[in-house]
Amino acid sequence: MSKKHIEECVRASLEAYFRDLRGTEPDGMYEMLVKVVEKPLLEVVMAKAENNQSRAAEWLGLNRNTLRKKLIEHKLLK
């Protein structure tokens, strides 16, 4: 899956989101979008990295402590 394909999926989802609002103005979209993308991103990367936080942090371009904080925020630490 290319970066372009992911962008197209996000764009289509956002268009559907606005259609579903039926003219109601959105609120807090940035934070909402970050949250809904971040959790599955962390889940998939952690699974592919076999729950190795150092490896996952490297793949994500994050500091390991930042990754750990995000895993806790999303209740993904076991």
Side-chain angles (χ1 to χ4, degrees):
M1 182 178 293
S2 70
K3 177 181 171 185
K4 180 79 171 163
H5 180 76
I6 294 171
E7 287 178 13
E8 290 169 1
C9 289
V10 170
R11 187 171 287 107
S13 292
L14 286 168
E15 291 293 343
Y17 174 75
F18 274 98
R19 274 192 309 275
D20 291 345
L21 287 174
R22 295 184 180 104
T24 302
E25 289 197 13
D27 184 47
M29 281 186 64
Y30 183 81
E31 186 174 334
M32 176 197 69
L33 187 60
V34 168
K35 294 286 183 198
V36 300
V37 170
E38 191 172 61
K39 185 174 182 179
L41 172 64
L42 295 173
E43 289 171 331
V44 170
V45 170
M46 287 299 293
K48 296 295 181 185
E50 299 175 340
N51 289 315
N52 182 313
Q53 291 180 24
S54 295
R55 185 183 307 147
E58 185 177 327
W59 291 355
L60 290 165
L62 296 174
N63 175 290
R64 187 180 170 282
N65 291 331
T66 301
L67 173 60
R68 184 169 174 75
K69 178 183 165 197
K70 290 180 177 296
L71 291 171
I72 290 168
E73 280 176 25
H74 291 286
K75 298 175 176 60
L76 296 174
L77 277 184
K78 297 178 182 181

mmCIF file of all heavy atoms in Angstrom, residues 2 20 28-29 31-32 34 39 41-42 44-45 52 55 59 64 71 75 78:
data_model
loop_
_atom_site.group_PDB
_atom_site.id
_atom_site.type_symbol
_atom_site.label_atom_id
_atom_site.label_comp_id
_atom_site.label_asym_id
_atom_site.label_seq_id
_atom_site.Cartn_x
_atom_site.Cartn_y
_atom_site.Cartn_z
ATOM 1 N N SER A 2 0.645 2.107 -0.934
ATOM 2 C CA SER A 2 1.476 3.296 -1.069
ATOM 3 C C SER A 2 0.972 4.430 -0.191
ATOM 4 O O SER A 2 -0.168 4.431 0.269
ATOM 5 C CB SER A 2 1.488 3.746 -2.530
ATOM 6 O OG SER A 2 0.217 4.266 -2.891
ATOM 7 N N ASP A 20 -21.784 12.896 6.746
ATOM 8 C CA ASP A 20 -22.537 12.410 7.897
ATOM 9 C C ASP A 20 -22.933 13.536 8.854
ATOM 10 O O ASP A 20 -23.923 13.410 9.577
ATOM 11 C CB ASP A 20 -21.750 11.345 8.664
ATOM 12 C CG ASP A 20 -21.599 10.054 7.878
ATOM 13 O OD1 ASP A 20 -22.322 9.864 6.868
ATOM 14 O OD2 ASP A 20 -20.752 9.218 8.258
ATOM 15 N N GLY A 28 -13.062 20.023 17.048
ATOM 16 C CA GLY A 28 -11.943 19.213 17.530
ATOM 17 C C GLY A 28 -11.499 18.138 16.566
ATOM 18 O O GLY A 28 -11.066 17.058 16.977
ATOM 19 N N MET A 29 -11.590 18.425 15.281
ATOM 20 C CA MET A 29 -11.263 17.415 14.270
ATOM 21 C C MET A 29 -9.815 16.940 14.322
ATOM 22 O O MET A 29 -9.554 15.758 14.127
ATOM 23 C CB MET A 29 -11.533 17.951 12.865
ATOM 24 C CG MET A 29 -12.975 17.929 12.471
ATOM 25 S SD MET A 29 -13.183 18.421 10.749
ATOM 26 C CE MET A 29 -12.317 17.110 9.906
ATOM 27 N N GLU A 31 -7.601 16.698 16.801
ATOM 28 C CA GLU A 31 -7.356 15.751 17.892
ATOM 29 C C GLU A 31 -8.085 14.431 17.650
ATOM 30 O O GLU A 31 -7.539 13.354 17.880
ATOM 31 C CB GLU A 31 -7.778 16.347 19.231
ATOM 32 C CG GLU A 31 -7.400 15.450 20.403
ATOM 33 C CD GLU A 31 -7.689 16.090 21.741
ATOM 34 O OE1 GLU A 31 -7.709 17.323 21.843
ATOM 35 O OE2 GLU A 31 -7.888 15.320 22.697
ATOM 36 N N MET A 32 -9.316 14.520 17.163
ATOM 37 C CA MET A 32 -10.078 13.311 16.871
ATOM 38 C C MET A 32 -9.357 12.448 15.840
ATOM 39 O O MET A 32 -9.195 11.239 16.022
ATOM 40 C CB MET A 32 -11.467 13.665 16.330
ATOM 41 C CG MET A 32 -12.281 12.457 15.914
ATOM 42 S SD MET A 32 -13.685 12.842 14.842
ATOM 43 C CE MET A 32 -12.856 13.335 13.327
ATOM 44 N N VAL A 34 -6.152 12.472 14.953
ATOM 45 C CA VAL A 34 -4.893 11.939 15.490
ATOM 46 C C VAL A 34 -5.176 10.709 16.356
ATOM 47 O O VAL A 34 -4.513 9.679 16.226
ATOM 48 C CB VAL A 34 -4.118 13.012 16.287
ATOM 49 C CG1 VAL A 34 -2.977 12.401 17.068
ATOM 50 C CG2 VAL A 34 -3.597 14.089 15.338
ATOM 51 N N LYS A 39 -3.973 5.070 17.351
ATOM 52 C CA LYS A 39 -4.145 3.783 18.031
ATOM 53 C C LYS A 39 -3.925 2.595 17.093
ATOM 54 O O LYS A 39 -3.118 1.710 17.397
ATOM 55 C CB LYS A 39 -5.507 3.688 18.722
ATOM 56 C CG LYS A 39 -5.650 2.407 19.518
ATOM 57 C CD LYS A 39 -6.915 2.360 20.319
ATOM 58 C CE LYS A 39 -6.971 1.074 21.137
ATOM 59 N NZ LYS A 39 -8.185 1.018 21.954
ATOM 60 N N LEU A 41 -2.310 2.558 14.329
ATOM 61 C CA LEU A 41 -0.910 2.618 13.909
ATOM 62 C C LEU A 41 -0.026 1.945 14.949
ATOM 63 O O LEU A 41 0.817 1.104 14.624
ATOM 64 C CB LEU A 41 -0.477 4.077 13.700
ATOM 65 C CG LEU A 41 1.012 4.317 13.453
ATOM 66 C CD1 LEU A 41 1.466 3.673 12.156
ATOM 67 C CD2 LEU A 41 1.315 5.806 13.446
ATOM 68 N N LEU A 42 -0.218 2.302 16.208
ATOM 69 C CA LEU A 42 0.572 1.711 17.289
ATOM 70 C C LEU A 42 0.315 0.215 17.408
ATOM 71 O O LEU A 42 1.255 -0.571 17.611
ATOM 72 C CB LEU A 42 0.266 2.412 18.613
ATOM 73 C CG LEU A 42 0.670 3.885 18.701
ATOM 74 C CD1 LEU A 42 0.155 4.494 19.992
ATOM 75 C CD2 LEU A 42 2.166 4.065 18.554
ATOM 76 N N VAL A 44 -0.624 -1.972 15.076
ATOM 77 C CA VAL A 44 -0.015 -2.712 13.967
ATOM 78 C C VAL A 44 1.502 -2.715 14.075
ATOM 79 O O VAL A 44 2.141 -3.764 13.925
ATOM 80 C CB VAL A 44 -0.476 -2.127 12.609
ATOM 81 C CG1 VAL A 44 0.322 -2.707 11.458
ATOM 82 C CG2 VAL A 44 -1.966 -2.370 12.411
ATOM 83 N N VAL A 45 2.084 -1.564 14.357
ATOM 84 C CA VAL A 45 3.548 -1.494 14.452
ATOM 85 C C VAL A 45 4.060 -2.352 15.599
ATOM 86 O O VAL A 45 5.041 -3.087 15.442
ATOM 87 C CB VAL A 45 4.037 -0.034 14.565
ATOM 88 C CG1 VAL A 45 5.514 0.033 14.899
ATOM 89 C CG2 VAL A 45 3.752 0.716 13.269
ATOM 90 N N ASN A 52 8.365 -5.320 20.598
ATOM 91 C CA ASN A 52 9.660 -4.752 20.957
ATOM 92 C C ASN A 52 9.543 -3.230 20.832
ATOM 93 O O ASN A 52 9.517 -2.683 19.726
ATOM 94 C CB ASN A 52 10.746 -5.297 20.025
ATOM 95 C CG ASN A 52 12.118 -4.792 20.361
ATOM 96 O OD1 ASN A 52 12.320 -3.601 20.582
ATOM 97 N ND2 ASN A 52 13.082 -5.696 20.385
ATOM 98 N N ARG A 55 12.377 -1.311 18.894
ATOM 99 C CA ARG A 55 12.266 -1.471 17.441
ATOM 100 C C ARG A 55 11.088 -0.652 16.908
ATOM 101 O O ARG A 55 11.223 0.053 15.909
ATOM 102 C CB ARG A 55 12.084 -2.941 17.072
ATOM 103 C CG ARG A 55 12.079 -3.163 15.562
ATOM 104 C CD ARG A 55 11.824 -4.602 15.167
ATOM 105 N NE ARG A 55 12.735 -5.507 15.831
ATOM 106 C CZ ARG A 55 12.401 -6.749 16.204
ATOM 107 N NH1 ARG A 55 11.208 -7.233 15.965
ATOM 108 N NH2 ARG A 55 13.278 -7.519 16.804
ATOM 109 N N TRP A 59 11.117 2.417 14.164
ATOM 110 C CA TRP A 59 10.323 2.413 12.935
ATOM 111 C C TRP A 59 9.425 3.637 12.831
ATOM 112 O O TRP A 59 9.217 4.178 11.752
ATOM 113 C CB TRP A 59 9.445 1.166 12.873
ATOM 114 C CG TRP A 59 10.188 -0.126 12.679
ATOM 115 C CD1 TRP A 59 11.532 -0.301 12.465
ATOM 116 C CD2 TRP A 59 9.623 -1.435 12.697
ATOM 117 N NE1 TRP A 59 11.829 -1.637 12.357
ATOM 118 C CE2 TRP A 59 10.675 -2.356 12.493
ATOM 119 C CE3 TRP A 59 8.341 -1.923 12.878
ATOM 120 C CZ2 TRP A 59 10.468 -3.726 12.450
ATOM 121 C CZ3 TRP A 59 8.133 -3.283 12.833
ATOM 122 C CH2 TRP A 59 9.195 -4.176 12.623
ATOM 123 N N ARG A 64 11.753 6.154 22.511
ATOM 124 C CA ARG A 64 11.110 5.013 23.156
ATOM 125 C C ARG A 64 10.183 5.450 24.292
ATOM 126 O O ARG A 64 9.101 4.891 24.482
ATOM 127 C CB ARG A 64 12.158 4.033 23.684
ATOM 128 C CG ARG A 64 11.533 2.748 24.202
ATOM 129 C CD ARG A 64 12.614 1.781 24.726
ATOM 130 N NE ARG A 64 11.993 0.674 25.417
ATOM 131 C CZ ARG A 64 11.497 0.710 26.653
ATOM 132 N NH1 ARG A 64 11.542 1.834 27.346
ATOM 133 N NH2 ARG A 64 10.942 -0.354 27.206
ATOM 134 N N LEU A 71 1.511 4.416 24.186
ATOM 135 C CA LEU A 71 0.935 3.088 24.413
ATOM 136 C C LEU A 71 0.074 3.094 25.676
ATOM 137 O O LEU A 71 -0.999 2.486 25.704
ATOM 138 C CB LEU A 71 2.043 2.037 24.526
ATOM 139 C CG LEU A 71 2.818 1.742 23.235
ATOM 140 C CD1 LEU A 71 4.028 0.864 23.537
ATOM 141 C CD2 LEU A 71 1.921 1.111 22.187
ATOM 142 N N LYS A 75 -4.023 2.659 26.147
ATOM 143 C CA LYS A 75 -4.256 1.401 26.901
ATOM 144 C C LYS A 75 -3.815 0.169 26.105
ATOM 145 O O LYS A 75 -4.525 -0.827 26.037
ATOM 146 C CB LYS A 75 -5.729 1.291 27.309
ATOM 147 C CG LYS A 75 -6.178 2.408 28.235
ATOM 148 C CD LYS A 75 -7.656 2.325 28.522
ATOM 149 C CE LYS A 75 -8.132 3.357 29.518
ATOM 150 N NZ LYS A 75 -7.966 4.727 29.227
ATOM 151 N N LYS A 78 0.434 -4.213 27.995
ATOM 152 C CA LYS A 78 -0.112 -5.392 28.687
ATOM 153 C C LYS A 78 0.641 -5.648 29.952
ATOM 154 O O LYS A 78 1.740 -5.362 30.168
ATOM 155 C CB LYS A 78 -0.021 -6.602 27.774
ATOM 156 C CG LYS A 78 -0.864 -6.401 26.536
ATOM 157 C CD LYS A 78 -0.741 -7.569 25.603
ATOM 158 C CE LYS A 78 -1.569 -7.295 24.375
ATOM 159 N NZ LYS A 78 -1.559 -8.320 23.415
#
